[in-house]
Amino acid sequence: DSDEWVSNDDPTNNVYTFDQITHNTEHQIQVRVTKGSKVIESDVKQVSTNVLPSPSISTRSEYAYMTFPEGCVSGVFTCRYRTVVPGQTESNESFNVDSQSESCYIYSYSQCDFSGTVYAAVSDGFNEIEVSAVLNAHDGNNCVRPGGR
């Protein structure tokens, strides 16, 4: 969003890619064709960036069920998820997704009641949308506390 003109030094290429633009936004651009210092044609256009679909997460206890857009299957988007459990060195590893549905769970070797976060992300190579959900786990079957269970 500036008043600067961008020069296309390659007359065989009529495409210009703008960097650092937020997805799902509208911008007004002015395009002009020049020959030397003379303006041949000029036009103002309203353009929109691509809409990047968001993944979704539903949770139940320590389980997360994620839904990703169809583009994750076809390769249009790069999709991934990761879990973070405080104190777990194995957490925070990222997993690539190539389906529309994924599920995962969190665990802890040292805690009976704990929480963690699952993150799901979709990227088009330029922009990324990441959503998160908190998971709360209780291992009632394998946890022994002082004074009993």
Side-chain angles (χ1 to χ4, degrees):
D1 291 311
S2 70
D3 293 333
E4 296 179 25
W5 287 103
V6 177
S7 177
N8 183 359
D9 296 328
D10 181 2
T12 63
N13 183 6
N14 61 358
V15 175
Y16 182 80
T17 302
F18 293 91
D19 294 334
Q20 307 298 318
I21 297 178
T22 305
H23 78 281
N24 199 18
T25 58
E26 284 197 3
H27 299 274
Q28 184 176 33
I29 62 169
Q30 184 174 7
V31 181
R32 70 179 181 180
V33 178
T34 61
K35 184 173 185 177
S37 62
K38 184 178 179 184
V39 175
I40 304 296
E41 192 171 333
S42 181
D43 200 1
V44 176
K45 297 282 185 184
Q46 283 292 120
V47 295
S48 298
T49 57
N50 292 337
V51 175
L52 194 56
S54 179
S56 63
I57 304 172
S58 61
T59 63
R60 192 178 80 218
S61 186
E62 70 269 26
Y63 294 94
Y65 304 94
M66 296 162 281
T67 303
F68 290 90
E70 157 60 33
C72 298
V73 178
S74 64
V76 172
F77 304 119
T78 301
C79 304
R80 61 182 172 74
Y81 74 90
R82 63 188 171 96
T83 59
V84 176
V85 178
Q88 292 291 111
T89 56
E90 297 85 8
S91 72
N92 208 17
E93 180 180 357
S94 184
F95 299 95
N96 289 330
V97 173
D98 59 2
S99 67
Q100 283 189 269
S101 298
E102 291 285 333
S103 62
C104 68
Y105 64 94
I106 59 171
Y107 59 90
S108 174
Y109 293 118
S110 61
Q111 299 173 349
C112 299
D113 295 306
F114 62 97
S115 63
T117 307
V118 63
Y119 298 88
V122 174
S123 171
D124 64 2
F126 299 101
N127 298 291
E128 180 176 279
I129 289 184
E130 184 175 73
V131 297
S132 64
V134 174
L135 305 174
N136 295 302
H138 170 68
D139 187 356
N141 296 325
N142 300 314
C143 189
V144 177
R145 294 188 179 85
R149 285 186 98 209

